[in-house]
Amino acid sequence: MSDELTDVLVMGLPTSAAAAREHVDALLRAQFFSGNEGIRDDIVWADALLVTSELVTNACRHGGGLTGFSAKIHGDELILSVADASTEFPVARPCPPGQYTVGGYGWPMVSRLAKSLVVISTATGKRIEAVVPLM
């Protein structure tokens, strides 16, 4: 893989997390994975799609709607940018040991899978930039 930056072509915003995953899947297939590397690729691929899905789902569910999306490959990293209409930054909700809740697991999971995770205030809400390692 070269160090060149490659964008996925997005015709308008994805309408759902599934549509965003399809864009990222197409980018990975076209620009990164050859399909011959085996199980490591499968796990890394799943991580990339999971982070994409969580960020877009949270933007739609908690962020007032998706307002921006891009996916790029730079070297051996997937760079995701997901913007929404909310000024509220995501937070991990603490859960006492032994008590389980519905929801609240996505942001901590994204934080573990991403090499870098930055939340940026914008004039219309916020943008989350995640760097997901592909190796």
Side-chain angles (χ1 to χ4, degrees):
M1 183 76 208
S2 73
D3 279 345
E4 111 183 17
L5 189 63
T6 307
D7 288 308
V8 64
L9 295 175
V10 178
M11 305 307 282
L13 288 177
T15 57
S16 66
R21 281 192 310 271
E22 287 177 14
H23 288 300
V24 171
D25 183 65
L27 176 65
L28 293 173
R29 286 179 191 280
Q31 302 295 329
F32 196 77
F33 294 116
S34 67
N36 297 325
E37 285 79 11
I39 194 153
R40 180 155 174 84
D41 275 0
D42 291 344
I43 293 168
V44 171
W45 201 309
D47 288 350
L49 296 179
L50 189 55
V51 170
T52 301
S53 186
E54 283 295 326
L55 292 177
V56 172
T57 296
N58 286 346
C60 295
R61 202 177 275 169
H62 307 293
L66 188 65
T67 60
F69 175 83
S70 70
K72 303 171 185 175
I73 292 176
H74 186 261
D76 61 357
E77 298 173 334
L78 171 66
I79 302 168
L80 292 170
S81 178
V82 177
D84 64 40
S86 173
T87 58
E88 298 291 322
F89 280 35
V91 294
R93 295 183 303 185
C95 185
Q99 293 184 6
Y100 300 98
T101 62
V102 174
Y105 299 101
W107 186 248
M109 179 180 52
V110 167
S111 297
R112 283 191 307 272
L113 294 175
K115 174 181 175 181
S116 168
L117 195 56
V118 178
V119 183
I120 302 161
S121 291
T122 67
T124 59
K126 70 177 170 298
R127 183 176 70 248
I128 298 174
E129 294 181 357
V131 177
V132 180
L134 298 174
M135 298 300 277

